[in-house]
Amino acid sequence: MPFDNEKHQGISEFFARNPEEADREFFGRIAHSDRRGFLGGAGLATVGAMLGLSIPFHRNMPQGLIPAAFAAEDVLVGKDGLTLLNDRPINAETPPHFLDDDITPTNRHFIRNNGIPPEDVDPASWTLTVDGLVDQEMTLSIDDLRNQFEVVTMALVIECGGNGRAFFNPPAKGNQWTLGAVGCSNWTGVRLKDVLEKAGVKSNVVYTAHYGADGHLSGDTSKLPISRGVPIAKALTDDVLIAFEMNGGALHPQNGAPLRLVVPGWPGSCSQKWLTRIQLRDQVHDGPKMTGTSYRVPNRSVAPGEEVAKEDFVIIERMPVKSLITSQENNSEIGQEIEVRGHAWSGDRTVDRVDLSIDFGATWLTAELDAPVNSGAWQNWRQTVTFPKAGYYEVWARAMDSAGVMQPFAIDWNPKGYLNNTMHRVALRVG
Ligand SMILES: Nc1nc2c(c(=O)[nH]1)N[C@H]1C(S)=C(S)[C@@H](COP(=O)(O)O)O[C@H]1N2
Ligand SMILES: [Mo]
């Protein structure tokens, strides 16, 4: 099936369905191995024309790679203003000034994929299996979930464990998230706890294992892109949801439609998308991205660049205290008096205070801070700020949580670039 712009077939859809043919169509050659000998042709010329430029290093482009220039428009259907970091798998973050809403609209929620999302999902025939160390194994449709359990709606924070990775020095490999791998949408679903209790949690259970329907990047169907879990005590808290609605509508296809877990305040990777199975285990789960150094940090402070032995890494649980300034875009021109707004959160805790500084931290004023609308939600804050005269300013925000822990000035460096919760700074030009 050739690529057909008229039919609005997505370029990503086309590449996903048949990467070889897509490559042939776009780059005018037969197979990956032939590309080395590729000397030009109609396909490449077409891509060049679409980009308005030639591609000097086209020989190095991996098979199936969607030129990001196209992908940004095409892959992010139903999203608005997101920055595409990677197209295979799709990873896109939301610039902070697009996260200004109290509740993150679906079109502003970031996307973090480890594999290839399932296509043509049918919510009516979707099932979730609960098995492992339970009294009664269950397979439930989404209707079963709706009918057999209390349906709740909660605003819940999902933040990628690697949010802020781009600021690490020495740099950490992985998606270079800046600030926007976080969102707090309204999620509707049933409590994981209620479902697990109905299945009957055996006394020797220590951990959950989550499985989704997305495919491994290699195309190898025996491999999973990601399967993580949480300690059973976390799974049995009131604010972990199996969600089938996002902001009162369908889940966005890239955010896990039709069914996902939402584990607020813990690394986003715990919140399995395209959820098909939850298994209860008598050991810490060992699925892909649970082991090695994935979503783990050293068990002690380490110096930037320090080598850390594998056995010294521990699994990340709650995410640290953090805040974002969302009312002004970085580097924007403003008047002398403005309202500064944003959000603050701290996994499994609440935020007690948000302070702002416009003088590089010499003095601070305390912002007006809302209570969370429910546990697991971020807290909105605002403060009118007056600048003494025209010039360059930075607004800094720092949150302090219910345990008295405050955001740091400097990054607590770790090899994989997780948990960067340094203060958010926004440059402002007062005219
Ligand atoms: N099935 C599946 N679930 C997944 C992932 C994935 O790649 N596959 N990525 C995880 C990671 S690392 C994060 S940060 C969150 C991101 O959720 P979002 O894409 O809805 O923002 O989904 C998690 N759930
Ligand atoms: Mo993540």
Side-chain angles (χ1 to χ4, degrees), residues 266-288:
W266 282 41
S269 51
C270 300
S271 296
Q272 194 85 26
K273 302 192 280 188
W274 310 290
L275 184 70
T276 54
R277 178 183 174 208
I278 295 170
Q279 180 196 21
L280 298 189
R281 305 192 60 179
D282 61 0
Q283 61 174 88
V284 174
H285 184 42
D286 54 2

Side-chain angles (χ1 to χ4, degrees), residues 112 160-161 269 295:
R112 196 294 185 239
C160 184
S269 51
Y295 302 104

